[in-house]
Amino acid sequence: MNNYPMLQSDHIFSYSQISSFAQCPHSFLLKYILKFEDVENAYAQFGTLAHSILEEWASGRLNAEDMHKEWTERHDKEVTAEYAPFPKNFRQSSYKKGLEYFQKFSGFGDEKAIVSTEQEYYTTIGGCQFRGIIDLVLRDKNTERLAIIDHKSKSLASFNKDTSIIRQLYCYSKLIKDAYNEYPSELFFNLFKEGGVLIEEPFSMEKYMETINWVETNIVNISMETEWEPRYQPMFCDYICGVRGKCEKALSML
């Protein structure tokens, strides 16, 4: 057994943390227990910039017709890290896709009223605190039903390979239920690099309960973990992981 610090009893979990542990326990250890600072990556910077511009629009600080100008002015200043060297010209193509999205952006429908944008919510799952920042919460003006939208920089092909990602929105559904005493009726992923393709998931109580069970199981597994073994994955470890510069175990596997 390794002599690592224990997870604090008052630790606040999130979907990204649970996913991080499932992908690589060692990454979770370094980031959330040993608390090493994140190393920037271009993919995250790209997504953060797009989220910021969408939040400025949703909060009324930026007009839709000016979003593409904001993207152009800020892109090179804020997306400063290097992408992987493949595919070729990925930086340029990603910039262009973002620009095209914001040039055509017109909102998410006049029938939807904005309830919150980039707001932090808290709940309890498995007896532990759980938090999430929801990109956009909307309420239908006709039906009064809630919907949540999460902005994603993934390609459609990449998104379709990861069917488990819907769990993120079901985790958020628990946050919404606690905050507004109702479940969202619609769950959306906004793929802004795909021109704003909206992937819709009507709320399913069965999938919701499966997700809550998944979170509870992983919280128990994290709390009991002692080895924190790395799981080397070339793309993730070399270009994406926020603690890649500190992961001696993973580096030794190269």
mmCIF file of all heavy atoms in Angstrom, residues 35-76:
data_model
loop_
_atom_site.group_PDB
_atom_site.id
_atom_site.type_symbol
_atom_site.label_atom_id
_atom_site.label_comp_id
_atom_site.label_asym_id
_atom_site.label_seq_id
_atom_site.Cartn_x
_atom_site.Cartn_y
_atom_site.Cartn_z
ATOM 1 N N LYS A 35 -3.251 18.078 -5.140
ATOM 2 C CA LYS A 35 -3.569 19.444 -5.569
ATOM 3 C C LYS A 35 -2.447 20.130 -6.349
ATOM 4 O O LYS A 35 -2.101 21.295 -6.106
ATOM 5 C CB LYS A 35 -4.010 20.292 -4.374
ATOM 6 C CG LYS A 35 -5.241 19.736 -3.668
ATOM 7 C CD LYS A 35 -5.759 20.666 -2.601
ATOM 8 C CE LYS A 35 -6.943 20.058 -1.855
ATOM 9 N NZ LYS A 35 -8.058 19.677 -2.732
ATOM 10 N N PHE A 36 -1.854 19.403 -7.290
ATOM 11 C CA PHE A 36 -0.910 20.029 -8.212
ATOM 12 C C PHE A 36 -1.671 20.968 -9.136
ATOM 13 O O PHE A 36 -2.818 20.704 -9.511
ATOM 14 C CB PHE A 36 -0.175 18.973 -9.040
ATOM 15 C CG PHE A 36 0.878 18.225 -8.274
ATOM 16 C CD1 PHE A 36 0.784 16.856 -8.091
ATOM 17 C CD2 PHE A 36 1.967 18.893 -7.733
ATOM 18 C CE1 PHE A 36 1.758 16.160 -7.376
ATOM 19 C CE2 PHE A 36 2.944 18.204 -7.023
ATOM 20 C CZ PHE A 36 2.841 16.836 -6.849
ATOM 21 N N GLU A 37 -1.034 22.054 -9.525
ATOM 22 C CA GLU A 37 -1.669 23.009 -10.414
ATOM 23 C C GLU A 37 -1.806 22.430 -11.822
ATOM 24 O O GLU A 37 -0.946 21.681 -12.287
ATOM 25 C CB GLU A 37 -0.862 24.310 -10.470
ATOM 26 C CG GLU A 37 -0.868 25.088 -9.162
ATOM 27 C CD GLU A 37 -0.161 26.413 -9.293
ATOM 28 O OE1 GLU A 37 0.235 26.770 -10.430
ATOM 29 O OE2 GLU A 37 0.010 27.093 -8.274
ATOM 30 N N ASP A 38 -2.879 22.828 -12.477
ATOM 31 C CA ASP A 38 -3.131 22.360 -13.834
ATOM 32 C C ASP A 38 -2.099 22.892 -14.816
ATOM 33 O O ASP A 38 -1.623 24.024 -14.701
ATOM 34 C CB ASP A 38 -4.512 22.812 -14.302
ATOM 35 C CG ASP A 38 -5.609 21.820 -13.925
ATOM 36 O OD1 ASP A 38 -5.283 20.835 -13.251
ATOM 37 O OD2 ASP A 38 -6.762 22.052 -14.307
ATOM 38 N N VAL A 39 -1.756 22.060 -15.806
ATOM 39 C CA VAL A 39 -0.976 22.478 -16.958
ATOM 40 C C VAL A 39 -1.981 22.781 -18.067
ATOM 41 O O VAL A 39 -2.865 21.975 -18.347
ATOM 42 C CB VAL A 39 0.001 21.373 -17.413
ATOM 43 C CG1 VAL A 39 0.781 21.832 -18.635
ATOM 44 C CG2 VAL A 39 0.939 20.992 -16.275
ATOM 45 N N GLU A 40 -1.869 23.934 -18.676
ATOM 46 C CA GLU A 40 -2.820 24.323 -19.714
ATOM 47 C C GLU A 40 -2.731 23.393 -20.923
ATOM 48 O O GLU A 40 -1.663 22.866 -21.257
ATOM 49 C CB GLU A 40 -2.544 25.760 -20.168
ATOM 50 C CG GLU A 40 -2.815 26.812 -19.110
ATOM 51 C CD GLU A 40 -4.289 27.121 -18.966
ATOM 52 O OE1 GLU A 40 -5.109 26.473 -19.642
ATOM 53 O OE2 GLU A 40 -4.620 28.018 -18.176
ATOM 54 N N ASN A 41 -3.865 23.198 -21.603
ATOM 55 C CA ASN A 41 -3.846 22.531 -22.901
ATOM 56 C C ASN A 41 -4.747 23.309 -23.849
ATOM 57 O O ASN A 41 -5.712 23.968 -23.430
ATOM 58 C CB ASN A 41 -4.254 21.063 -22.798
ATOM 59 C CG ASN A 41 -5.735 20.856 -22.597
ATOM 60 O OD1 ASN A 41 -6.520 20.992 -23.531
ATOM 61 N ND2 ASN A 41 -6.134 20.513 -21.376
ATOM 62 N N ALA A 42 -4.427 23.262 -25.126
ATOM 63 C CA ALA A 42 -5.116 24.087 -26.117
ATOM 64 C C ALA A 42 -6.588 23.722 -26.239
ATOM 65 O O ALA A 42 -7.429 24.593 -26.474
ATOM 66 C CB ALA A 42 -4.423 23.948 -27.469
ATOM 67 N N TYR A 43 -6.906 22.449 -26.090
ATOM 68 C CA TYR A 43 -8.293 22.005 -26.233
ATOM 69 C C TYR A 43 -9.167 22.641 -25.149
ATOM 70 O O TYR A 43 -10.277 23.114 -25.431
ATOM 71 C CB TYR A 43 -8.362 20.486 -26.161
ATOM 72 C CG TYR A 43 -7.427 19.804 -27.120
ATOM 73 C CD1 TYR A 43 -6.128 19.443 -26.736
ATOM 74 C CD2 TYR A 43 -7.812 19.542 -28.429
ATOM 75 C CE1 TYR A 43 -5.256 18.845 -27.625
ATOM 76 C CE2 TYR A 43 -6.948 18.936 -29.333
ATOM 77 C CZ TYR A 43 -5.668 18.589 -28.917
ATOM 78 O OH TYR A 43 -4.804 17.998 -29.806
ATOM 79 N N ALA A 44 -8.657 22.665 -23.918
ATOM 80 C CA ALA A 44 -9.406 23.274 -22.817
ATOM 81 C C ALA A 44 -9.487 24.783 -22.989
ATOM 82 O O ALA A 44 -10.524 25.400 -22.713
ATOM 83 C CB ALA A 44 -8.752 22.928 -21.487
ATOM 84 N N GLN A 45 -8.396 25.415 -23.433
ATOM 85 C CA GLN A 45 -8.407 26.859 -23.643
ATOM 86 C C GLN A 45 -9.426 27.248 -24.714
ATOM 87 O O GLN A 45 -10.137 28.249 -24.573
ATOM 88 C CB GLN A 45 -7.010 27.342 -24.051
ATOM 89 C CG GLN A 45 -5.989 27.272 -22.937
ATOM 90 C CD GLN A 45 -4.602 27.678 -23.409
ATOM 91 O OE1 GLN A 45 -4.264 27.571 -24.590
ATOM 92 N NE2 GLN A 45 -3.778 28.152 -22.479
ATOM 93 N N PHE A 46 -9.493 26.454 -25.767
ATOM 94 C CA PHE A 46 -10.459 26.684 -26.846
ATOM 95 C C PHE A 46 -11.885 26.623 -26.286
ATOM 96 O O PHE A 46 -12.706 27.511 -26.534
ATOM 97 C CB PHE A 46 -10.268 25.617 -27.923
ATOM 98 C CG PHE A 46 -11.220 25.714 -29.088
ATOM 99 C CD1 PHE A 46 -10.837 26.366 -30.246
ATOM 100 C CD2 PHE A 46 -12.479 25.141 -29.039
ATOM 101 C CE1 PHE A 46 -11.714 26.458 -31.334
ATOM 102 C CE2 PHE A 46 -13.354 25.223 -30.112
ATOM 103 C CZ PHE A 46 -12.963 25.885 -31.264
ATOM 104 N N GLY A 47 -12.156 25.582 -25.511
ATOM 105 C CA GLY A 47 -13.484 25.423 -24.931
ATOM 106 C C GLY A 47 -13.816 26.515 -23.933
ATOM 107 O O GLY A 47 -14.946 27.011 -23.887
ATOM 108 N N THR A 48 -12.834 26.914 -23.135
ATOM 109 C CA THR A 48 -13.057 27.964 -22.140
ATOM 110 C C THR A 48 -13.402 29.288 -22.804
ATOM 111 O O THR A 48 -14.295 30.017 -22.345
ATOM 112 C CB THR A 48 -11.804 28.137 -21.265
ATOM 113 O OG1 THR A 48 -11.566 26.924 -20.540
ATOM 114 C CG2 THR A 48 -11.976 29.283 -20.278
ATOM 115 N N LEU A 49 -12.720 29.609 -23.899
ATOM 116 C CA LEU A 49 -13.005 30.843 -24.621
ATOM 117 C C LEU A 49 -14.426 30.825 -25.183
ATOM 118 O O LEU A 49 -15.175 31.804 -25.039
ATOM 119 C CB LEU A 49 -11.998 31.052 -25.754
ATOM 120 C CG LEU A 49 -12.272 32.228 -26.692
ATOM 121 C CD1 LEU A 49 -12.346 33.540 -25.911
ATOM 122 C CD2 LEU A 49 -11.211 32.300 -27.784
ATOM 123 N N ALA A 50 -14.813 29.729 -25.800
ATOM 124 C CA ALA A 50 -16.166 29.631 -26.361
ATOM 125 C C ALA A 50 -17.217 29.728 -25.262
ATOM 126 O O ALA A 50 -18.237 30.418 -25.409
ATOM 127 C CB ALA A 50 -16.318 28.319 -27.129
ATOM 128 N N HIS A 51 -16.979 29.047 -24.139
ATOM 129 C CA HIS A 51 -17.905 29.127 -23.002
ATOM 130 C C HIS A 51 -18.040 30.575 -22.513
ATOM 131 O O HIS A 51 -19.142 31.030 -22.176
ATOM 132 C CB HIS A 51 -17.416 28.245 -21.851
ATOM 133 C CG HIS A 51 -17.809 26.821 -21.953
ATOM 134 N ND1 HIS A 51 -17.218 25.948 -22.833
ATOM 135 C CD2 HIS A 51 -18.756 26.092 -21.285
ATOM 136 C CE1 HIS A 51 -17.756 24.757 -22.694
ATOM 137 N NE2 HIS A 51 -18.705 24.815 -21.779
ATOM 138 N N SER A 52 -16.920 31.274 -22.445
ATOM 139 C CA SER A 52 -16.921 32.646 -21.952
ATOM 140 C C SER A 52 -17.767 33.547 -22.842
ATOM 141 O O SER A 52 -18.560 34.369 -22.349
ATOM 142 C CB SER A 52 -15.489 33.172 -21.871
ATOM 143 O OG SER A 52 -15.463 34.527 -21.499
ATOM 144 N N ILE A 53 -17.619 33.405 -24.151
ATOM 145 C CA ILE A 53 -18.380 34.236 -25.088
ATOM 146 C C ILE A 53 -19.866 33.904 -25.023
ATOM 147 O O ILE A 53 -20.722 34.806 -25.035
ATOM 148 C CB ILE A 53 -17.831 34.067 -26.522
ATOM 149 C CG1 ILE A 53 -16.412 34.650 -26.596
ATOM 150 C CG2 ILE A 53 -18.735 34.725 -27.545
ATOM 151 C CD1 ILE A 53 -15.700 34.398 -27.906
ATOM 152 N N LEU A 54 -20.204 32.627 -24.919
ATOM 153 C CA LEU A 54 -21.605 32.221 -24.797
ATOM 154 C C LEU A 54 -22.211 32.721 -23.489
ATOM 155 O O LEU A 54 -23.379 33.114 -23.439
ATOM 156 C CB LEU A 54 -21.716 30.700 -24.893
ATOM 157 C CG LEU A 54 -21.565 30.129 -26.303
ATOM 158 C CD1 LEU A 54 -21.248 28.642 -26.254
ATOM 159 C CD2 LEU A 54 -22.826 30.383 -27.121
ATOM 160 N N GLU A 55 -21.409 32.723 -22.422
ATOM 161 C CA GLU A 55 -21.894 33.224 -21.135
ATOM 162 C C GLU A 55 -22.130 34.723 -21.196
ATOM 163 O O GLU A 55 -23.118 35.241 -20.632
ATOM 164 C CB GLU A 55 -20.883 32.879 -20.030
ATOM 165 C CG GLU A 55 -21.389 33.152 -18.615
ATOM 166 C CD GLU A 55 -21.196 34.594 -18.174
ATOM 167 O OE1 GLU A 55 -20.240 35.231 -18.664
ATOM 168 O OE2 GLU A 55 -21.993 35.091 -17.341
ATOM 169 N N GLU A 56 -21.257 35.448 -21.875
ATOM 170 C CA GLU A 56 -21.426 36.893 -22.005
ATOM 171 C C GLU A 56 -22.697 37.214 -22.784
ATOM 172 O O GLU A 56 -23.410 38.177 -22.467
ATOM 173 C CB GLU A 56 -20.196 37.505 -22.679
ATOM 174 C CG GLU A 56 -18.964 37.499 -21.792
ATOM 175 C CD GLU A 56 -17.744 38.069 -22.486
ATOM 176 O OE1 GLU A 56 -17.917 38.820 -23.478
ATOM 177 O OE2 GLU A 56 -16.616 37.785 -22.047
ATOM 178 N N TRP A 57 -22.996 36.409 -23.808
ATOM 179 C CA TRP A 57 -24.253 36.599 -24.549
ATOM 180 C C TRP A 57 -25.456 36.289 -23.660
ATOM 181 O O TRP A 57 -26.401 37.074 -23.584
ATOM 182 C CB TRP A 57 -24.278 35.690 -25.783
ATOM 183 C CG TRP A 57 -25.658 35.557 -26.348
ATOM 184 C CD1 TRP A 57 -26.297 36.448 -27.169
ATOM 185 C CD2 TRP A 57 -26.588 34.501 -26.086
ATOM 186 N NE1 TRP A 57 -27.571 36.015 -27.436
ATOM 187 C CE2 TRP A 57 -27.776 34.819 -26.787
ATOM 188 C CE3 TRP A 57 -26.536 33.323 -25.342
ATOM 189 C CZ2 TRP A 57 -28.904 33.989 -26.751
ATOM 190 C CZ3 TRP A 57 -27.646 32.501 -25.312
ATOM 191 C CH2 TRP A 57 -28.813 32.831 -25.996
ATOM 192 N N ALA A 58 -25.414 35.146 -22.970
ATOM 193 C CA ALA A 58 -26.553 34.701 -22.162
ATOM 194 C C ALA A 58 -26.843 35.661 -21.014
ATOM 195 O O ALA A 58 -27.998 35.815 -20.603
ATOM 196 C CB ALA A 58 -26.300 33.299 -21.620
ATOM 197 N N SER A 59 -25.812 36.321 -20.501
ATOM 198 C CA SER A 59 -25.991 37.247 -19.387
ATOM 199 C C SER A 59 -26.320 38.660 -19.859
ATOM 200 O O SER A 59 -26.484 39.566 -19.040
ATOM 201 C CB SER A 59 -24.738 37.277 -18.511
ATOM 202 O OG SER A 59 -23.625 37.747 -19.259
ATOM 203 N N GLY A 60 -26.403 38.844 -21.188
ATOM 204 C CA GLY A 60 -26.781 40.143 -21.738
ATOM 205 C C GLY A 60 -25.650 41.127 -21.890
ATOM 206 O O GLY A 60 -25.879 42.308 -22.194
ATOM 207 N N ARG A 61 -24.415 40.683 -21.719
ATOM 208 C CA ARG A 61 -23.272 41.595 -21.820
ATOM 209 C C ARG A 61 -22.693 41.662 -23.228
ATOM 210 O O ARG A 61 -21.815 42.487 -23.495
ATOM 211 C CB ARG A 61 -22.170 41.174 -20.830
ATOM 212 C CG ARG A 61 -22.654 41.060 -19.399
ATOM 213 C CD ARG A 61 -21.515 41.038 -18.393
ATOM 214 N NE ARG A 61 -20.455 40.130 -18.708
ATOM 215 C CZ ARG A 61 -20.434 38.829 -18.388
ATOM 216 N NH1 ARG A 61 -21.477 38.294 -17.767
ATOM 217 N NH2 ARG A 61 -19.402 38.081 -18.694
ATOM 218 N N LEU A 62 -23.173 40.806 -24.116
ATOM 219 C CA LEU A 62 -22.654 40.748 -25.481
ATOM 220 C C LEU A 62 -23.798 40.436 -26.441
ATOM 221 O O LEU A 62 -24.561 39.497 -26.212
ATOM 222 C CB LEU A 62 -21.564 39.668 -25.576
ATOM 223 C CG LEU A 62 -20.824 39.525 -26.906
ATOM 224 C CD1 LEU A 62 -20.006 40.783 -27.196
ATOM 225 C CD2 LEU A 62 -19.904 38.303 -26.876
ATOM 226 N N ASN A 63 -23.907 41.226 -27.500
ATOM 227 C CA ASN A 63 -24.931 40.984 -28.508
ATOM 228 C C ASN A 63 -24.515 39.849 -29.431
ATOM 229 O O ASN A 63 -23.319 39.662 -29.699
ATOM 230 C CB ASN A 63 -25.165 42.243 -29.351
ATOM 231 C CG ASN A 63 -25.749 43.377 -28.536
ATOM 232 O OD1 ASN A 63 -26.548 43.152 -27.624
ATOM 233 N ND2 ASN A 63 -25.346 44.604 -28.849
ATOM 234 N N ALA A 64 -25.501 39.110 -29.933
ATOM 235 C CA ALA A 64 -25.212 37.969 -30.798
ATOM 236 C C ALA A 64 -24.404 38.375 -32.020
ATOM 237 O O ALA A 64 -23.492 37.648 -32.445
ATOM 238 C CB ALA A 64 -26.520 37.293 -31.226
ATOM 239 N N GLU A 65 -24.697 39.549 -32.590
ATOM 240 C CA GLU A 65 -24.005 39.984 -33.805
ATOM 241 C C GLU A 65 -22.548 40.355 -33.560
ATOM 242 O O GLU A 65 -21.775 40.516 -34.519
ATOM 243 C CB GLU A 65 -24.742 41.155 -34.458
ATOM 244 C CG GLU A 65 -24.930 42.371 -33.576
ATOM 245 C CD GLU A 65 -26.247 42.357 -32.815
ATOM 246 O OE1 GLU A 65 -26.809 41.259 -32.610
ATOM 247 O OE2 GLU A 65 -26.708 43.452 -32.423
ATOM 248 N N ASP A 66 -22.156 40.488 -32.289
ATOM 249 C CA ASP A 66 -20.768 40.843 -31.974
ATOM 250 C C ASP A 66 -19.937 39.654 -31.484
ATOM 251 O O ASP A 66 -18.741 39.807 -31.207
ATOM 252 C CB ASP A 66 -20.741 41.931 -30.896
ATOM 253 C CG ASP A 66 -21.327 43.248 -31.388
ATOM 254 O OD1 ASP A 66 -21.154 43.558 -32.581
ATOM 255 O OD2 ASP A 66 -21.972 43.947 -30.577
ATOM 256 N N MET A 67 -20.541 38.485 -31.389
ATOM 257 C CA MET A 67 -19.841 37.329 -30.821
ATOM 258 C C MET A 67 -18.660 36.900 -31.679
ATOM 259 O O MET A 67 -17.604 36.529 -31.160
ATOM 260 C CB MET A 67 -20.817 36.176 -30.606
ATOM 261 C CG MET A 67 -21.891 36.494 -29.564
ATOM 262 S SD MET A 67 -23.220 35.273 -29.494
ATOM 263 C CE MET A 67 -22.449 33.979 -28.498
ATOM 264 N N HIS A 68 -18.813 36.959 -33.000
ATOM 265 C CA HIS A 68 -17.715 36.534 -33.867
ATOM 266 C C HIS A 68 -16.523 37.483 -33.771
ATOM 267 O O HIS A 68 -15.368 37.083 -33.912
ATOM 268 C CB HIS A 68 -18.195 36.403 -35.316
ATOM 269 C CG HIS A 68 -18.485 37.707 -35.991
ATOM 270 N ND1 HIS A 68 -19.635 38.426 -35.759
ATOM 271 C CD2 HIS A 68 -17.760 38.430 -36.896
ATOM 272 C CE1 HIS A 68 -19.620 39.521 -36.501
ATOM 273 N NE2 HIS A 68 -18.495 39.555 -37.184
ATOM 274 N N LYS A 69 -16.797 38.783 -33.516
ATOM 275 C CA LYS A 69 -15.709 39.740 -33.346
ATOM 276 C C LYS A 69 -14.936 39.427 -32.060
ATOM 277 O O LYS A 69 -13.705 39.523 -32.025
ATOM 278 C CB LYS A 69 -16.275 41.155 -33.277
ATOM 279 C CG LYS A 69 -17.012 41.596 -34.532
ATOM 280 C CD LYS A 69 -17.627 42.970 -34.334
ATOM 281 C CE LYS A 69 -18.490 43.370 -35.517
ATOM 282 N NZ LYS A 69 -19.165 44.673 -35.276
ATOM 283 N N GLU A 70 -15.670 39.093 -31.014
ATOM 284 C CA GLU A 70 -15.042 38.730 -29.738
ATOM 285 C C GLU A 70 -14.152 37.511 -29.918
ATOM 286 O O GLU A 70 -13.044 37.438 -29.376
ATOM 287 C CB GLU A 70 -16.128 38.477 -28.698
ATOM 288 C CG GLU A 70 -15.640 38.395 -27.275
ATOM 289 C CD GLU A 70 -15.370 39.735 -26.649
ATOM 290 O OE1 GLU A 70 -15.565 40.770 -27.319
ATOM 291 O OE2 GLU A 70 -14.965 39.762 -25.470
ATOM 292 N N TRP A 71 -14.647 36.528 -30.670
ATOM 293 C CA TRP A 71 -13.876 35.310 -30.947
ATOM 294 C C TRP A 71 -12.579 35.649 -31.679
ATOM 295 O O TRP A 71 -11.497 35.174 -31.304
ATOM 296 C CB TRP A 71 -14.724 34.351 -31.784
ATOM 297 C CG TRP A 71 -14.017 33.093 -32.181
ATOM 298 C CD1 TRP A 71 -13.460 32.807 -33.398
ATOM 299 C CD2 TRP A 71 -13.771 31.938 -31.369
ATOM 300 N NE1 TRP A 71 -12.897 31.557 -33.395
ATOM 301 C CE2 TRP A 71 -13.074 31.001 -32.154
ATOM 302 C CE3 TRP A 71 -14.078 31.612 -30.049
ATOM 303 C CZ2 TRP A 71 -12.678 29.757 -31.670
ATOM 304 C CZ3 TRP A 71 -13.683 30.374 -29.563
ATOM 305 C CH2 TRP A 71 -12.992 29.462 -30.361
ATOM 306 N N THR A 72 -12.673 36.480 -32.695
ATOM 307 C CA THR A 72 -11.498 36.852 -33.492
ATOM 308 C C THR A 72 -10.469 37.601 -32.661
ATOM 309 O O THR A 72 -9.269 37.342 -32.741
ATOM 310 C CB THR A 72 -11.932 37.725 -34.694
ATOM 311 O OG1 THR A 72 -12.824 36.971 -35.518
ATOM 312 C CG2 THR A 72 -10.729 38.159 -35.514
ATOM 313 N N GLU A 73 -10.939 38.545 -31.843
ATOM 314 C CA GLU A 73 -10.032 39.370 -31.050
ATOM 315 C C GLU A 73 -9.342 38.600 -29.931
ATOM 316 O O GLU A 73 -8.192 38.892 -29.588
ATOM 317 C CB GLU A 73 -10.815 40.544 -30.447
ATOM 318 C CG GLU A 73 -11.286 41.553 -31.481
ATOM 319 C CD GLU A 73 -12.176 42.629 -30.880
ATOM 320 O OE1 GLU A 73 -12.376 42.595 -29.635
ATOM 321 O OE2 GLU A 73 -12.670 43.488 -31.633
ATOM 322 N N ARG A 74 -10.019 37.605 -29.383
ATOM 323 C CA ARG A 74 -9.499 36.931 -28.195
ATOM 324 C C ARG A 74 -8.817 35.593 -28.471
ATOM 325 O O ARG A 74 -8.061 35.097 -27.619
ATOM 326 C CB ARG A 74 -10.643 36.718 -27.197
ATOM 327 C CG ARG A 74 -11.183 38.015 -26.621
ATOM 328 C CD ARG A 74 -12.458 37.826 -25.822
ATOM 329 N NE ARG A 74 -12.291 36.891 -24.712
ATOM 330 C CZ ARG A 74 -13.279 36.515 -23.906
ATOM 331 N NH1 ARG A 74 -14.502 36.989 -24.095
ATOM 332 N NH2 ARG A 74 -13.047 35.667 -22.916
ATOM 333 N N HIS A 75 -9.072 34.994 -29.614
ATOM 334 C CA HIS A 75 -8.613 33.616 -29.845
ATOM 335 C C HIS A 75 -7.115 33.440 -29.639
ATOM 336 O O HIS A 75 -6.670 32.603 -28.841
ATOM 337 C CB HIS A 75 -9.019 33.153 -31.239
ATOM 338 C CG HIS A 75 -8.584 31.745 -31.541
ATOM 339 N ND1 HIS A 75 -7.358 31.436 -32.103
ATOM 340 C CD2 HIS A 75 -9.195 30.551 -31.319
ATOM 341 C CE1 HIS A 75 -7.242 30.132 -32.223
ATOM 342 N NE2 HIS A 75 -8.333 29.567 -31.751
ATOM 343 N N ASP A 76 -6.299 34.181 -30.345
ATOM 344 C CA ASP A 76 -4.847 33.978 -30.275
ATOM 345 C C ASP A 76 -4.262 34.393 -28.929
ATOM 346 O O ASP A 76 -3.210 33.903 -28.518
ATOM 347 C CB ASP A 76 -4.143 34.740 -31.396
ATOM 348 C CG ASP A 76 -4.376 34.104 -32.763
ATOM 349 O OD1 ASP A 76 -4.923 32.976 -32.799
ATOM 350 O OD2 ASP A 76 -4.036 34.725 -33.781
#
